[in-house]
Amino acid sequence: MLKSTTHRKVYVFFISCLAASISLGKVPMSISLIGLTLNWVLELDFQLKWKKIKDQKYLPIIFSGLFLIELFWLPISKDTIIGLNALRIKLPLLLLPLIIGSCASFSKREWKTIITTFFIGILVSTIWVYLVSIEILPTKKESGTVRDASIFMSHIRYSVLLSFSAVLILCLAFKNLISKLIAVIIFLWLLFLIFKLSTITAILGLSFALLFLFIVFLFSSKNKYKIVYITGIASLFFLVGLYTTATINDFYHVKSKERSLLTHSIGGEKYQYDLKDNTTENGFYLWENIAQKELERAWNRKSKFSFNSKDKKNQPIKATLYRFLTSKGLNKDSVGLSKLTKNEILKIENGETSSVSYNNFEKRIRSLLYQRESRKKTSDPNNQTINQRVVFWKAGIDIFLNQPAIGHGPGGAKTQFKKYYKSRNTNLNKSNQLLAHNQFITQAINLGALGTIIWLFILIYSFLKVEKQMFLFFVPYIILMFFAFMSDDMLEVQAGVTIFSFFGTLMLFYNSKSLEAS
């Protein structure tokens, strides 16, 4: 049996490994968590650990109740295998509170080690992701979007993690725990990656988290750099707001309000119009001067992608072609197509809808605006982030109402969504038939109203126990987790569970007295 000091070093080592690997994928995360658990078990001394738990009024057990309630609900699951797999994924919700909550609080030196290794992991992963985004390193995905660069986890979870890291580095600098210059460099690098990935969930969460910090800094009198922080955050809000407004105005800008209403194409086909539809692309009206049959014949001669097939982003080629031609001010006919270069044909095949080069943030904003306009005219939600989520949420609510009291047990959302899509016509392609993309709805399906109320009580009760000294870090965490829960099934995959439970547990069992003693 190892000495207690050795077990402590191993404990801090694996906690630091988990901190570093939390941004590097599930394999290193799993290894770190297994090492952490084995060390905790082999250390024995459970009497002392139980005393630690009792001294904290059983808070480690209460917080691990987020897992235990799902375990208690397992007999309700109609598919036990899926239920057990769901519990396996959520093991960090049980293990981290029990391990961290029953061990002695971290010293200043140990905290420094954990935070340092976390940012080392973040820097390694962000450099890797950036190299993937510029196609120096390979990706595992083929959606044709910048999201493919997020190879360690989904772009939503990764962007939320980067957003929390950006806020964390600012807070550390404000508390004089890190060099201001290093903090600014890391913050700007993270901000660059966040906007490059252009995940609206993370950007909105980061905005509200920064707004909270702005208010804190505004009323703080302890830091001589508070004016710099306030000015910096205010300037960031102003510039992003101005930039977003300019992008929106550009999307709706019309270069010529007079319609170019021609009657027939050069091939003699009568042009199609929709004068009630004012959708534009690069300032030109989309739904005018369309000779579909003529364009189809010409396109099929030029491209291996059929006119009625889909591009590499899984969008209808026809729609992509219409938008691309419109962006150049060309008619949707054989003449318009003949004016495209071979490179532009490749761009259309790759899913590029505009001849104008936009950065990823501009593309994302324009995509959301296009979806908004599209929703007014069509019931097809496929490959449209917002419109698909409307279908997901409606389906989730319908499933919940089918068995609202006690739900369907852990993993129930997975089985029930499959049944729902088979029995209902949602207009979603099979590849787009996903879960709720909302953790609150997913919990309601799994646990029902009764279990969800208990689950929320455990969550709220536990987080109300966080020390006031930790609020500067904790409130941004809560804000970002809320946005992540609203747009993603955060706790249904290992990366999401680990991100949520690791930071939540560390902050919940932070002990300022132990820092004073060290």
Side-chain angles (χ1 to χ4, degrees), residues 411-427:
K414 192 171 183 179
T415 56
Q416 293 305 311
F417 265 95
K418 281 184 180 179
K419 289 181 181 178
Y420 185 91
Y421 289 132
K422 283 182 180 179
S423 63
R424 306 286 184 93
N425 180 22
T426 59
N427 292 329

Side-chain angles (χ1 to χ4, degrees), residues 445-475:
I445 293 171
N446 290 341
L447 303 177
L450 177 62
T452 302
I453 290 170
I454 298 171
W455 185 85
L456 286 171
F457 174 80
I458 292 169
L459 188 66
I460 294 168
Y461 176 84
S462 299
F463 282 163
L464 285 175
K465 299 296 180 180
V466 173
E467 285 195 16
K468 289 182 180 179
Q469 291 91 330
M470 188 54 64
F471 273 21
L472 184 66
F473 304 92
F474 183 68
V475 174

Side-chain angles (χ1 to χ4, degrees), residues 8 11-12 103-115 509-518:
R8 182 67 184 186
Y11 168 59
V12 174
C103 292
S105 301
F106 297 115
S107 65
K108 284 183 181 179
R109 186 176 179 180
E110 290 168 341
W111 270 114
K112 186 175 180 180
T113 301
I114 295 166
I115 293 170
F509 297 110
Y510 168 86
N511 190 333
S512 56
K513 292 179 181 178
S514 68
L515 294 184
E516 292 170 5
S518 62

